[in-house]
Amino acid sequence: AKHIGTFGEKLGCCERLSTLSLNFRSNSITGINLEAFGAGIGQCPALTSLTLVFAETETTGGSFGAMIKGIGQCAQLEYLDLNFSYNQIAEDSLEAFGEGIGSCRNLTSLMLKLQRNQITGKALARFGAGIGRCAKLESLHLDLSNNMIPGRYAKQFAEAIGVFDQLTKLALQLSGNSDLKDRGALSVARLLRRHRLRECTVELTGTGITARAAAAIRDANPAV
C-alpha cells in the first residue's frame, strides 16, 4: 500500500482512461500516499466513472479528505462510488469531502458509504453544501449508519444540501445513530418533500424515532 501514491501518479498519465474501479479493502494506507493517489486520479482527463473501496483500512479522515480534494479535479466525472466504511473518519474530513465532491459539477450519480466511522455531525452542513453543488445529480445514495449523528446536525445537513432539480433516486441510510430522534427524522421528511422521486429508501432503525416521525417519512414522498 505504500506505493499507492506512485500508482496514482501513473494513472494520471492515462489520457484515455474513462472507467476505473479499485478495491483496497483491509489494507494499511498512510495519509501522504492517499493525497498523492487522489492528485494522480485528478489528472485523468477522460475519466467519467470512478469506484473506490477503502473499507476497513483504519485510515484517518484527514487523509481521505486530502484524497477527495485531488479527485475533485476530475470535473468531467459523471459516476462516483466511494466506500469508506469501517474507518476512523471524523469531522475534520467531512468538509474536505464536500469540497472535493462539489467540484465534480457533472456528477449524475453519487454513492458514498461512510457507515461505522466516528462522525458526530458537526461538519454535516458544510458536507451537505458541497454535495448540493452537484446540480446535475439524478441518483444519490448516502450511508451514514452507525455513527454518532444527533438530530440537530441532521437538520443542518438536510437544509444545506438544498434541492436537486433532476434527482429521481434517493437512498439515505441513517440506522444506528441513536440520538437522531424525531428532530432528525422530520428534517429528512422535509428533504423528501422537496424532490420528485421515482425511487426512495430511508433506513432509520435504532434512531429513537416515534411512530409520528416514521409516519411523516412515509407520507413525505410517494416513492418512500
Side-chain angles (χ1 to χ4, degrees):
K2 67 180 181 180
H3 301 298
I4 191 172
T6 303
F7 178 49
E9 292 171 1
K10 298 295 184 184
L11 286 172
C13 299
C14 300
E15 295 182 357
R16 298 183 180 180
L17 183 67
S18 61
T19 300
L20 179 63
S21 181
L22 298 169
N23 188 342
F24 297 103
R25 182 185 294 269
S26 301
N27 280 288
S28 179
I29 299 171
T30 61
I32 189 170
N33 293 325
L34 280 174
E35 184 173 2
F37 174 72
I41 291 180
Q43 298 303 309
C44 296
L47 192 65
T48 58
S49 177
L50 177 62
T51 300
L52 295 175
V53 178
F54 281 94
E56 302 174 60
T57 61
E58 298 184 357
T59 307
T60 59
S63 304
F64 283 135
M67 182 184 75
I68 297 301
K69 282 187 177 181
I71 292 173
Q73 299 304 308
C74 290
Q76 72 284 350
L77 267 181
E78 298 175 1
Y79 176 90
L80 184 58
D81 182 347
L82 302 173
N83 186 343
F84 299 119
S85 57
Y86 293 84
N87 282 294
Q88 300 172 30
I89 295 172
E91 309 315 305
D92 60 345
S93 63
L94 279 186
E95 186 172 1
F97 270 57
E99 181 180 339
I101 291 170
S103 298
C104 302
R105 300 297 177 89
N106 287 310
L107 276 184
T108 58
S109 179
L110 174 62
M111 182 176 292
L112 185 56
K113 304 179 185 74
L114 288 165
Q115 68 266 38
R116 292 194 182 276
N117 278 280
Q118 299 174 9
I119 299 169
T120 62
K122 294 179 181 179
L124 274 179
R126 295 187 294 276
F127 173 64
I131 294 175
R133 290 195 293 272
C134 301
K136 296 182 180 180
L137 275 182
E138 300 172 6
S139 175
L140 176 60
H141 182 159
L142 293 177
D143 189 344
L144 292 164
S145 58
N146 294 293
N147 281 285
M148 299 168 283
I149 301 170
R152 65 182 183 277
Y153 293 134
K155 180 178 183 291
Q156 292 174 8
F157 172 77
E159 292 172 349
I161 202 169
V163 178
F164 301 100
D165 292 337
Q166 302 178 49
L167 193 71
T168 59
K169 184 176 181 180
L170 176 65
L172 292 175
Q173 294 170 278
L174 295 165
S175 296
N177 290 284
S178 58
D179 288 330
L180 197 73
K181 310 296 185 185
D182 282 12
R183 186 176 185 180
L186 294 174
S187 299
V188 171
R190 286 191 288 272
L191 175 64
L192 297 181
R193 283 196 292 270
R194 297 200 298 264
H195 294 90
R196 297 180 179 180
L197 302 170
R198 289 201 299 264
E199 296 180 42
C200 182
T201 301
V202 180
E203 295 184 9
L204 292 165
T205 304
T207 57
I209 68 171
T210 64
R212 170 178 166 268
I217 292 285
R218 289 192 297 270
D219 295 341
N221 194 292
V224 178

